[in-house]
Amino acid sequence: MFKLIRSPLEVIAVLVGIGGVLLLLYAWHLPPFDTSVETTDNAYVKGYVTIVSPQVSGYITDVPVKDYQKVEEGQLIAKIDDRIYVQRLEQAQAALDGQKAALLNSQQQELSARASIASSDAQIDSAKAAEKHAQLSWDRIENLVTKGISTTSDSEAAQAGLDQAKAAVNQAQAALEVSRQNLAAIIVNRASLQAAVSGAEAAVHLADIDLQHTSITAAKAGRLGEVGVRLGQYVAAGTQLVALVPQDVWVIANFKETQLEGMKIGQPVIFTVDSLGHAEMKGRIENFSPAAGSEFAVVKPDNATGNFTKVAQRVGVRVSVDGSQPLSAQLAPGLSVVVSVDTDSVSGESVASK
């Protein structure tokens, strides 16, 4: 072979050719450079980025936080002028007091109606007693008239007294029925009064909720983005004030579909962070995307054409970050990372079974 090489240029050319072949084999992970470690630089740190917005409208009276400040759960971020909402709460409370007073009045009316029923019962007893006395008087007069002892005028007076006593009984019974109907009406109306009280209580709770919403607080501990709200600014419900980023982060690595073989949930992961001087950190595969990334695109590719070209699809792999690492506190959503997975490590459930 060496006899065929006649000059140093030919030696260099041969060496360059061999180097190119070796570089190609290394780039495509072909023998003797095949490896079980799959790597991708299409990976980023992810986290929950929450836009803080008010639920009520008003003028901002206080902004006690600054850009990129760390906040605790429940800490005040901004305060809306609450004078109107305080008055609305007092107004709702007054309406509730009025409805409760109406309900108490209804209960008092029920007691009065029951007392009226008792009085009507007593009047019936009295009228029946008077009717009995008139009946006895009429019976005596009738016997005397039959014997010719009593006069016609006495008979007519006794008859009139008996009729009057019977009418009094009927009147007392009618009065009792009226009292019972009044009681029934009061009890039926009670349901509407109780519903009115419930509605007034709900209005008080809603007014109290609106009043509480004038204090805009952090829903979770984390760090703030740029504070976009200013003192004296008028904000409406849904206005974006500031972004809140909790400390919880993870990594989404988009591997090619040809790289997924052998990957399993629970496998250890090594990743480097560009912003931290390519510092090496550890994590584990937490889950696999249920579909390739192209399936979640707004405009999906249409492969049913004559000029189809096969392209390896990307599948998202969620990687949990080991929180015990000192640098984990410096990870922020959006940072670029390079993720490496050793597919020979045996652990957990493979992507094929998902």
Side-chain angles (χ1 to χ4, degrees):
M1 175 180 178
F2 291 101
K3 293 181 180 180
L4 298 176
I5 301 175
R6 301 177 181 178
S7 67
L9 293 178
E10 292 179 348
V11 174
I12 294 174
V14 170
L15 293 176
V16 170
I18 295 174
V21 171
L22 293 176
L23 182 62
L24 184 62
L25 293 175
Y26 174 80
W28 287 92
H29 293 169
L30 296 175
F33 301 105
D34 56 333
T35 175
S36 62
V37 177
E38 299 293 347
T39 303
T40 181
D41 59 358
N42 188 345
Y44 307 90
V45 179
K46 294 291 184 179
Y48 300 106
V49 180
T50 303
I51 302 299
V52 179
S53 301
Q55 298 189 43
V56 295
S57 303
Y59 288 95
I60 298 296
T61 58
D62 188 19
V63 184
V65 295
K66 298 180 180 179
D67 297 343
Y68 315 136
Q69 177 180 332
K70 184 177 181 180
V71 294
E72 300 297 330
E73 181 177 351
Q75 183 174 339
L76 182 67
I77 294 177
K79 177 71 175 177
I80 295 176
D81 187 1
D82 62 358
R83 291 175 297 175
I84 294 177
Y85 299 98
V86 169
Q87 294 303 314
R88 287 179 180 175
L89 177 58
E90 293 180 356
Q91 185 180 32
Q93 186 63 54
L96 175 60
D97 294 340
Q99 294 297 338
K100 287 183 176 180
L103 182 59
L104 291 175
N105 183 55
S106 174
Q107 294 172 348
Q108 185 61 39
Q109 288 177 351
E110 179 183 354
L111 296 176
S112 177
R114 293 188 183 279
S116 179
I117 290 175
S119 175
S120 297
D121 284 333
Q123 289 178 0
I124 289 176
D125 293 339
S126 176
K128 285 182 177 181
E131 181 186 15
K132 183 176 181 182
H133 180 268
Q135 184 67 48
L136 292 174
S137 297
W138 162 249
D139 291 341
R140 288 194 303 271
I141 294 298
E142 186 178 21
N143 290 332
L144 293 175
V145 170
T146 302
K147 295 178 181 180
I149 299 174
S150 179
T151 64
T152 304
S153 61
D154 291 336
S155 174
E156 292 175 352
Q159 181 65 47
L162 178 59
D163 293 340
Q164 187 176 8
K166 289 181 178 180
V169 171
N170 293 333
Q171 184 179 9
Q173 289 176 340
L176 175 62
E177 184 62 24
V178 170
S179 298
R180 288 175 175 171
Q181 293 300 323
N182 287 338
L183 176 61
I186 291 171
I187 293 175
V188 170
N189 190 49
R190 179 77 49 76
S192 64
L193 293 175
Q194 290 174 338
V197 170
S198 299
E201 288 176 343
V204 170
H205 291 321
L206 288 174
D208 184 54
I209 291 173
D210 286 343
L211 178 59
Q212 294 178 21
H213 285 161
T214 58
S215 297
I216 305 168
T217 59
K220 195 173 183 180
R223 298 178 68 89
L224 299 178
E226 293 185 5
V227 180
V229 63
R230 299 292 181 264
L231 189 65
Q233 177 183 352
Y234 182 84
V235 296
T239 302
Q240 296 185 4
L241 306 182
V242 64
L244 174 63
V245 183
Q247 189 58 43
D248 300 333
V249 293
W250 60 94
V251 171
I252 296 295
N254 298 299
F255 284 95
K256 293 180 181 180
E257 57 185 323
T258 54
Q259 297 177 288
L260 296 178
E261 183 180 2
M263 289 190 186
K264 300 180 179 66
I265 294 177
Q267 280 181 328
V269 173
I270 300 296
F271 64 93
T272 59
V273 187
D274 295 359
S275 64
L276 301 179
H278 302 282
E280 187 176 281
M281 301 183 67
K282 297 180 181 180
R284 288 188 177 275
I285 293 181
E286 193 173 53
N287 220 328
F288 296 93
S289 173
S294 59
E295 293 299 311
F296 299 109
V298 177
V299 180
K300 295 180 174 57
D302 184 6
N303 294 327
T305 58
N307 58 349
F308 166 71
T309 301
K310 184 176 180 180
V311 177
Q313 300 297 309
R314 296 276 181 173
V315 177
V317 178
R318 179 174 173 132
V319 177
S320 62
V321 179
D322 185 358
S324 62
Q325 302 170 98
L327 293 178
S328 62
Q330 300 183 35
L331 294 178
L335 296 180
S336 299
V337 296
V338 177
V339 177
S340 298
V341 180
D342 186 357
T343 58
D344 280 348
S345 62
V346 179
S347 178
E349 184 179 3
S350 68
V351 66
S353 64
K354 293 300 289 176

